[in-house]
Amino acid sequence: MAASSERSPPPFPDSEEPELLEDSDDGADAFTGTSISEMDSPSPDTARPPKDIFNDPPEDIFNDPLSNINSEPQKKVDTKIASPSSDEAVDLFSDPLDDDSDVISSPEVQNPMPDLLSEPVEVPKSDFKGEPPVQKNATRQQEIFEDPPKTSSKSSSVKKAASSELFGDDDDEEDLFKEPPKVGTKKPQPSGPPVDVFTEVISDVKVKPQVKDDPTDLFAEEALSAPAPKPSASSSSRTNGVHSEEQDLFSEATVELSLDSPHNDRKKKDAVKPSVSAPAAPAASSSSKAQSKTLEELEEEESEDKFDLNISVTNPEKVGDGMNAYMAYKVSTQTSLTMFRSKTFTVRRRFSDFLGLYEKLSEKHSQNGYIVPPPPEKSILGMTKVKVGKDDPSSAEFVERRRGALERYLQRVVTHPSLLQDPDVREFLEKEELPRAVSTQALSGAGFLKMLNKATDAVSKMTIKMNEQDVWFDEKIQDVENEEQHLRKLHVMVESLVSHRKELSGNTAVFAKSVAMLGSSEDNTALSRALSQLAEVEDRIEQLHQDQASNDFFTFSELLADYIRLLGAVRGCFDQRMKSWQRWQDAENMLQKKREAEAKLLWANKPDKLQQAKDEIAEWEAKVTQYERDFERISATVRKEVIRFDKEKTRDFKKQIIKYLESLLNSQQQLIKYWEAFLPEAKAIA
Amino acid sequence: MEGSNAETELGVSVGSIRITDVTQDGDLLTFAITSQKLNGSAGVCVFRTYDDFDWLQQSLFSQENLPGLQGIIFPPLPSKAFPSQSNTQTKTLKQLGFLALGQDWQSYCKALEFYLQQVAAHPTLCKSKALDSFLVNSESPGKQRGKKGIFNRLSQAVEEMRKESHKDVDNFFQNERNKNTNVASLSKVATEKLLDVVMTEQKLALACGHFSTSLHLCVNQDDADAVAFSKICLKLSDIIEAVKRNFEKVASNNLSTLGLGLDLESRYQEAEKEMLFRRTCKLIELETVKKNTEKAKANKREVMEAFQKAAEKEFNQISSVAKQEIERFHSSRVNVLQNFLIGWCEQQLNTAKEFAELYSQHLEACRNMYSD
């Protein structure tokens, strides 16, 4: 760690140190702070601060090399090597890497590309830094490659398919230009070792097939491979001779890195702990483990249509006493998916763990346009009742309601193909002990969402001028808003339905009682008997009403509540897209300014500053292209997600309606039984 | 209350008495009443207002030359309805209970119709000229009023209520009074509770209606997914609509059978109570006369004794009529209640079967939709 702080650029030691060393709240606060500032950023100038805050120095460091890349790439590589060469970490990392390359050349090789991409998913546990970005890459690329592996095992064709799918007609050259700055921004955070890996990569690259491409090409690939120990992979795939496409792929991944910047710290602190103690051994083991895992993942992807993963949340149990008490739930998973260690496993989780999972997922995925299912909201009132320990029906209902909500939440998470791949999800389902989710304490689910909404609202208000090019989005945004209102209205309706049902059940009970009294004071024995029978019938009917009330509640009311929350998440996606658009527009404006500045310089005939201005223009041109690409990508993702969401919604509602009908039918059948039994009694009155 | 006693002196067929129509003019409800003589003559249709009913009831109360008139359990006339107040539902509901429910005063008409049938079926009351003129005369008899019966006042006099607790000389009547008090209050409570149930069912039907209508808001034809979802919403809307109809049906079943039955039962119990009260008043009167006779001076004794004898005779007549009436009442009320219970049970059973069928059709349709 000493190495890391040494080499870290000025702004970092301060913010990073506490997180690395202690698991305190500061880290989380710092994080939320930055994320907020990012969301709030009002003007074009401040729109890029989240990155700037962290990355300004790195940009400076690397921007120069970058701009030089075209002219003197060799020199750049040299400077790279020079700084880390003395670090011993190179050894640590070179071992696993060797392993990797060995493994890859063994049988599993048939599908080297996906292996490589998904492999890093496992790595984070032992790997120092760059972990989150790697995850990002992995999950992202897994998705990208989802289809190709199924259809072909040849890496080259896979790549082609993926890249064409992703980028269609994009220009490769431009990518090259904007990647390096991204990589640069990344590096200062991971500090130390990644750089080492980096150099390793470079040497690797040099040893491997001599690439006829220009060095910028190399650099782009290094950048990507740097954080994770998979340079051999990139080089091996390079031997296939499909350069341009591959680069594209990776540039895609690096783009994600930049978006992650504010969140990385958090990840890192988790990752750092184990690695500090015994970095070498775990790295080796995990990489080999990763290999076997990824194979399974492949299989899983192939059999994705036969989705088999049942999650149930059961046995809510109060742990502790007084105000420190909390509810723990049993999370049981039953699956034939080979990505899990066993077919069935059970863990105990508390509510804040669920919130923590959501937070982790939404940090990582929501900015990419994914709809991350929101967990049930924290209810201080409900929980306090439970804590006080009154065994009254309302607190039992509260617990049951929450249990159901948590179950549905988890099910929604795992049915999302991308979220299922997230290591945090698997950790949540499998790992015996989770680190306590701290930040959820201060931020209740509702509060968190509210805050998020407020912030995103502010952003959307700010960018309300966005002239929507895409009719589909234009309509969809409107639809979602309307739908949310409709669902809210329906929810109110169902709530009143449920409360009336409960009332009916109560009234029926009272009526049954008064009929029973009437029967008991009746002289005519047959009539008396019939009346007391009637009272029994009414008692049963009361039970039916009660059941139906809870059916109404759990099938519709909760379903609607879930979807109101989910629609909030959908709107969040739209906002993310809008933010991305904003970033792109800001960059455009900036580029415009730089161009004007250049024109002024030309006019003023100041050649000394001209070069710098040109560099800046190049830099901003790259940014603009990248942001535009970002925006297109997030648009595509959001679109895909919304369509998926609509499908899921339709399926969910269908399922619930059938369930509801079944319960209605059952009630009627019970009623028929009751009345049929009572009819002879009534007829027997003489 | 006896359906079997179809023949009356006037030859009015009890089963033929019907209220076929009701028209509302401001606060005034006019009922079209048809009836038919047993001798097969053509049916008669007359128009009567509530005041006419009231006149009939008072005429029955104040019949002359009928020994033991006060021992008769008079069929209870529902209290007056104020249609213009039906906006202030709660008040009407409190006053009329079940009779205020149902569309177009149907339950109220049913209750009035039942009242006429009971009067016509009563072995003594059916002989009344008033009934004949009520059913046949095209002229409205209500105009010739002024004969406010004495019983009405008696029953309303609050200060005399304490006489209710007066100990009876006859164990039969003492028991009957105790039971009556008990059953009257219980049946009243039961009626109210059933009314609550019916009201809630109606509220539920209403809520289902709103829900079903609101579901139509979610319909959107933008794209394939939206259409699929819209289909689901419409289906659900249909289902909720069915649930709504189910509630309406169940509520109207409750209302038209058990509700009316319990209402009638509770009103009849009140009528019996009034009769018993009248008898108790007579008893107290007799006892006072007896005391006075004992205390009376010799010169007045004879007059007093004659007076006492007359009172005793009247009281005995009342008691004997009352005994018959009570017996008749008990057997007929069991019958009536049984009929209502059977009718109720059958209707509910049919409704349940009907909707079970409907739901299973919906379920089938939904499952098919699912497999699409």
Side-chain angles (χ1 to χ4, degrees):
Chain A
M1 265 7 312
S4 85
S5 50
E6 256 172 51
R7 209 164 302 142
S8 289
F12 271 93
D14 291 337
S15 61
E16 194 133 311
E17 214 85 324
E19 283 172 337
L20 292 173
L21 300 178
E22 48 183 280
D23 229 15
S24 70
D25 290 16
D26 302 4
D29 290 347
F31 150 64
T32 48
T34 47
S35 69
I36 287 166
S37 72
E38 182 189 23
M39 285 185 281
D40 285 338
S41 54
S43 73
D45 280 312
T46 46
R48 55 178 187 53
K51 227 176 52 204
D52 290 351
I53 291 169
F54 287 84
N55 301 340
D56 262 336
E59 261 169 14
D60 291 343
I61 292 170
F62 287 96
N63 279 345
D64 287 351
L66 161 65
S67 47
N68 293 338
I69 276 174
N70 288 327
S71 50
E72 34 185 359
Q74 200 48 56
K75 193 174 142 198
K76 194 221 159 235
V77 171
D78 285 345
T79 57
K80 272 291 135 76
I81 292 169
S83 61
S85 58
S86 61
D87 205 307
E88 55 174 23
V90 175
D91 296 331
L92 291 179
F93 279 83
S94 55
D95 280 350
L97 289 172
D98 288 344
D99 286 355
D100 272 353
S101 50
D102 289 345
V103 177
I104 283 168
S105 55
S106 69
E108 284 135 359
V109 161
Q110 354 116 270
N111 234 335
M113 198 54 192
D115 273 2
L116 288 169
L117 296 173
S118 47
E119 166 205 347
V121 174
E122 293 306 317
V123 174
K125 270 152 212 142
S126 57
D127 190 15
F128 269 45
K129 24 257 110 178
E131 177 211 342
V134 169
Q135 282 172 0
K136 233 6 58 120
N137 297 346
T139 45
R140 177 70 192 157
Q141 283 171 5
Q142 269 171 0
E143 211 209 343
I144 294 165
F145 284 98
E146 223 156 45
D147 294 329
K150 276 181 218 161
T151 50
S152 75
S153 56
K154 290 227 162 64
S155 59
S156 61
S157 64
V158 166
K159 266 173 274 156
K160 259 178 211 153
S163 57
S164 58
E165 174 195 330
L166 270 173
F167 299 96
D169 46 4
D170 274 345
D171 190 357
D172 299 337
E173 283 309 324
E174 280 170 355
D175 295 341
L176 294 178
F177 286 103
K178 67 180 153 130
E179 247 105 70
K182 244 44 292 200
V183 176
T185 63
K186 228 13 23 161
K187 235 169 288 154
Q189 283 178 335
S191 56
V195 181
D196 305 335
V197 174
F198 207 84
T199 58
E200 206 273 333
V201 171
I202 288 162
S203 58
D204 193 17
V205 165
K206 286 205 180 120
V207 173
K208 287 279 174 174
Q210 272 315 316
V211 204
K212 48 205 176 206
D213 281 31
D214 52 20
T216 47
D217 192 350
L218 267 182
F219 183 67
E221 286 177 21
E222 290 155 17
L224 191 269
S225 45
K230 53 177 176 178
S232 55
S234 49
S235 54
S236 74
S237 53
R238 206 178 303 131
T239 52
N240 289 324
V242 229
H243 293 280
S244 49
E245 279 110 346
E246 192 188 17
Q247 239 164 259
D248 246 6
L249 278 176
F250 287 114
S251 70
E252 165 81 356
T254 39
V255 164
E256 314 255 348
L257 299 189
S258 70
L259 292 173
D260 286 340
S261 55
H263 309 296
N264 288 336
D265 335 29
R266 216 176 102 95
K267 294 280 79 159
K268 227 177 300 153
K269 84 180 169 202
D270 292 343
V272 162
K273 276 180 282 170
S275 58
V276 171
S277 52
S285 66
S286 77
S287 63
S288 58
K289 199 166 62 186
Q291 279 304 329
S292 57
K293 270 279 165 57
T294 47
L295 248 200
E296 292 164 0
E297 277 171 28
L298 271 186
E299 286 165 23
E300 187 273 319
E301 276 166 16
E302 272 159 2
S303 62
E304 200 196 28
D305 34 350
K306 327 172 220 153
F307 182 78
D308 176 30
L309 181 59
N310 283 320
I311 292 189
S312 56
V313 177
T314 51
N315 294 19
E317 202 176 78
K318 203 168 115 178
V319 179
D321 283 313
M323 288 319 281
N324 289 325
Y326 62 91
M327 295 300 293
Y329 303 85
K330 205 160 117 187
V331 178
S332 318
T333 313
Q334 200 179 22
T335 181
S336 59
L337 296 186
T338 40
M339 62 184 278
F340 293 102
R341 272 174 222 134
S342 52
K343 286 205 185 310
T344 56
F345 39 89
T346 303
V347 288
R348 285 202 80 78
R349 293 284 180 260
R350 51 181 294 182
F351 183 64
S352 52
D353 293 336
F354 288 84
L355 292 185
L357 174 65
Y358 168 72
E359 225 175 282
K360 284 183 203 161
L361 291 178
S362 81
E363 268 167 37
K364 279 186 271 176
H365 297 286
S366 66
Q367 63 214 332
N368 296 333
Y370 285 121
I371 299 171
V372 180
E377 283 155 17
K378 211 164 188 170
S379 160
I380 289 165
L381 182 73
M383 200 51 212
T384 310
K385 260 188 189 167
V386 174
K387 278 176 180 167
V388 169
K390 290 268 157 56
D391 279 335
D392 65 341
S394 75
S395 79
E397 196 187 287
F398 168 77
V399 170
E400 169 58 20
R401 186 177 168 185
R402 171 166 282 182
R403 185 205 63 74
L406 289 175
E407 190 173 284
R408 289 192 305 278
Y409 159 65
L410 277 188
Q411 280 163 355
R412 287 208 175 91
V413 168
V414 298
T415 46
H416 195 296
S418 312
L419 295 186
L420 178 61
Q421 303 299 331
D422 192 290
D424 279 325
V425 172
R426 252 180 294 169
E427 196 172 77
F428 183 87
L429 294 177
E430 278 186 322
K431 207 175 167 193
E432 211 48 64
E433 291 288 328
L434 272 190
R436 188 103 152 65
V438 190
S439 49
T440 60
Q441 299 262 296
L443 286 174
S444 72
F448 187 74
L449 280 177
K450 239 179 257 162
M451 196 188 75
L452 205 85
N453 278 342
K454 246 187 219 161
T456 48
D457 275 357
V459 170
S460 59
K461 245 175 234 147
M462 181 186 74
T463 56
I464 204 109
K465 303 148 270 168
M466 174 177 184
N467 54 336
E468 186 59 78
Q469 303 291 324
D470 196 330
V471 184
W472 188 86
F473 275 104
D474 207 19
E475 280 176 1
K476 211 68 196 172
I477 290 169
Q478 198 54 47
D479 282 354
V480 165
E481 261 162 35
N482 288 342
E483 194 172 2
E484 196 174 342
Q485 273 176 14
H486 293 155
L487 289 193
R488 276 185 203 283
K489 199 168 172 193
L490 286 186
H491 191 243
V492 172
M493 300 281 173
V494 174
E495 291 278 286
S496 87
L497 203 64
V498 170
S499 76
H500 283 319
R501 278 264 197 211
K502 283 182 180 158
E503 191 186 329
L504 179 58
S505 144
N507 283 341
T508 309
V510 176
F511 175 61
K513 208 178 269 170
S514 72
V515 167
M517 301 249 294
L518 193 60
S520 68
S521 59
E522 176 58 55
D523 267 355
N524 186 302
T525 46
L527 185 59
S528 165
R529 195 181 132 81
L531 286 177
S532 49
Q533 291 284 334
L534 174 61
E536 260 176 55
V537 169
E538 289 293 330
D539 265 337
R540 289 198 195 115
I541 292 178
E542 183 238 323
Q543 193 53 49
L544 273 187
H545 286 317
Q546 215 168 36
D547 293 350
Q548 196 61 53
S550 63
N551 267 330
D552 284 356
F553 181 72
F554 283 111
T555 40
F556 285 133
S557 183
E558 288 290 84
L559 177 75
L560 288 170
D562 279 4
Y563 271 91
I564 290 170
R565 275 204 301 271
L566 279 166
L567 282 175
V570 174
R571 279 195 306 155
C573 284
F574 287 140
D575 290 343
Q576 290 290 351
R577 178 175 164 271
M578 228 179 234
K579 253 181 5 192
S580 165
W581 183 83
Q582 183 69 45
R583 198 158 43 215
W584 170 31
Q585 295 303 311
D586 290 346
E588 289 270 29
N589 290 339
M590 199 51 155
L591 177 61
Q592 197 58 40
K593 271 185 204 157
K594 297 283 177 205
R595 280 191 175 137
E596 280 164 14
E598 187 203 20
K600 264 182 204 160
L601 285 174
L602 267 177
W603 195 72
N605 204 10
K606 286 182 184 164
D608 48 331
K609 287 188 184 166
L610 201 55
Q611 184 55 42
Q612 196 194 338
K614 277 201 161 76
D615 291 346
E616 275 179 2
I617 286 175
E619 178 201 333
W620 280 100
E621 268 170 356
K623 275 188 184 167
V624 164
T625 334
Q626 188 206 322
Y627 288 156
E628 183 177 2
R629 175 98 54 93
D630 277 356
F631 173 69
E632 272 158 20
R633 192 171 30 79
I634 200 172
S635 294
T637 312
V638 169
R639 199 176 170 125
K640 215 169 106 195
E641 283 285 286
V642 169
I643 288 172
R644 185 181 166 275
F645 169 80
D646 279 344
K647 282 211 166 67
E648 287 275 309
K649 182 179 67 180
T650 308
R651 224 179 48 199
D652 248 16
F653 272 73
K654 251 179 202 167
K655 223 165 68 191
Q656 294 300 323
I657 287 174
I658 286 180
K659 227 166 109 188
Y660 181 65
L661 265 178
E662 278 166 354
S663 76
L664 280 181
L665 189 58
N666 185 41
S667 294
Q668 291 298 320
Q669 278 160 350
Q670 290 296 317
L671 270 181
I672 291 175
K673 250 196 249 165
Y674 296 158
W675 290 124
E676 271 173 351
F678 179 67
L679 195 54
E681 293 286 340
K683 283 185 170 154
I685 304 169
Chain B
M1 271 181 97
E2 220 165 59
S4 56
N5 191 354
E7 291 193 35
T8 69
E9 291 249 322
L10 287 168
V12 173
S13 157
V14 173
S16 75
I17 301 176
R18 287 269 181 277
I19 294 181
T20 52
D21 194 22
V22 57
T23 52
Q24 182 179 344
D25 177 20
D27 219 354
L28 196 68
L29 289 173
T30 309
F31 306 92
I33 300 157
T34 61
S35 60
Q36 205 174 3
K37 297 275 181 193
L38 272 179
N39 53 29
S41 64
V44 194
C45 180
V46 291
F47 294 92
R48 296 286 180 259
T49 62
Y50 183 83
D51 287 338
D52 300 325
F53 279 95
D54 196 36
W55 168 85
L56 175 62
Q57 185 75 333
Q58 298 307 329
S59 310
L60 293 179
F61 282 158
S62 52
Q63 287 178 91
E64 278 152 32
N65 309 321
L66 257 183
L69 175 73
Q70 297 180 46
I72 290 175
I73 300 173
F74 291 99
L77 179 66
S79 49
K80 189 167 181 176
F82 294 96
S84 61
Q85 288 178 0
S86 63
N87 302 336
T88 55
Q89 267 277 335
T90 43
K91 200 177 166 190
T92 321
L93 262 183
K94 217 171 195 176
Q95 198 186 1
L96 290 177
F98 272 107
L99 303 186
L101 296 177
Q103 280 214 309
D104 298 330
W105 300 96
Q106 267 176 7
S107 334
Y108 194 67
C109 291
K110 261 267 174 294
L112 286 178
E113 184 180 299
F114 210 80
Y115 162 76
L116 287 179
Q117 287 174 356
Q118 290 304 315
V119 173
H122 196 278
T124 321
L125 298 179
C126 68
K127 292 172 193 141
S128 158
K129 288 269 185 301
L131 178 65
D132 192 43
S133 89
F134 180 88
L135 288 177
V136 179
N137 273 2
S138 55
E139 192 76 5
S140 182
K143 308 279 187 285
Q144 3 152 349
R145 50 181 41 254
K147 281 207 233 162
K148 270 276 179 189
I150 178 173
F151 306 117
N152 213 14
R153 240 188 308 135
L154 268 181
S155 59
Q156 281 168 1
V158 181
E159 75 272 18
E160 301 214 14
M161 279 303 173
R162 60 194 148 84
K163 286 180 185 167
E164 267 191 355
S165 55
H166 186 85
K167 184 145 174 36
D168 210 299
V169 287
D170 193 329
N171 264 341
F172 172 81
F173 283 104
Q174 186 62 52
N175 284 343
E176 189 60 29
R177 272 165 57 191
N178 293 344
K179 266 189 294 183
N180 171 263
T181 319
N182 193 10
V183 172
S185 69
L186 283 177
S187 61
K188 197 163 180 231
V189 170
T191 312
E192 279 164 7
K193 296 309 165 199
L194 183 61
L195 183 63
D196 285 346
V197 171
V198 171
M199 297 295 292
T200 318
E201 279 163 353
Q202 288 183 336
K203 269 195 262 178
L204 259 173
L206 208 65
C208 284
H210 288 319
F211 185 29
S212 151
T213 325
S214 307
L215 276 168
H216 283 272
L217 289 176
C218 295
V219 173
N220 183 336
Q221 305 287 344
D222 279 357
D223 52 59
D225 286 324
V227 168
F229 185 64
S230 301
K231 259 194 205 157
I232 300 233
C233 284
L234 289 181
K235 188 82 208 161
L236 181 59
S237 173
D238 286 350
I239 292 163
I240 299 295
E241 182 69 27
V243 175
K244 177 199 167 194
R245 272 186 288 129
N246 188 7
F247 275 124
E248 281 172 352
K249 199 79 183 277
V250 167
S252 87
N253 287 345
N254 281 338
L255 171 64
S256 64
T257 54
L258 193 62
L260 281 184
L262 279 176
D263 181 69
L264 186 69
E265 160 79 1
S266 102
R267 278 186 296 121
Y268 248 106
Q269 291 289 351
E270 283 301 318
E272 193 201 5
K273 196 190 231 171
E274 275 178 25
M275 185 278 284
L276 289 170
F277 179 64
R278 289 193 299 266
R279 191 190 147 273
T280 313
C281 290
K282 258 301 176 245
L283 176 66
I284 291 167
E285 202 181 311
L286 177 64
E287 281 170 358
T288 327
V289 170
K290 269 184 186 165
K291 259 186 236 158
N292 288 344
T293 313
E294 275 163 25
K295 283 185 209 155
K297 303 239 165 67
N299 57 343
K300 281 186 186 169
R301 182 159 289 224
E302 254 177 50
V303 186
M304 288 304 285
E305 269 171 1
F307 194 59
Q308 186 192 336
K309 240 178 206 162
E312 239 165 41
K313 191 185 166 203
E314 197 190 352
F315 176 70
N316 285 340
Q317 267 173 344
I318 290 176
S319 292
S320 73
V321 169
K323 247 179 210 174
Q324 286 170 17
E325 281 284 302
I326 286 168
E327 258 162 54
R328 192 178 156 274
F329 169 65
H330 279 309
S331 71
S332 75
R333 75 176 264 275
V334 170
N335 255 331
V336 167
L337 275 183
Q338 184 196 11
N339 284 337
F340 276 123
L341 277 178
I342 292 175
W344 180 54
C345 189
E346 279 170 348
Q347 282 191 22
Q348 299 291 49
L349 187 57
N350 286 339
T351 309
K353 278 179 176 163
E354 182 190 328
F355 281 92
E357 176 66 19
L358 190 61
Y359 290 154
S360 62
Q361 278 171 12
H362 275 303
L363 189 58
E364 189 77 5
C366 271
R367 286 204 173 120
N368 286 340
M369 201 158 78
Y370 201 49
S371 59
D372 281 348

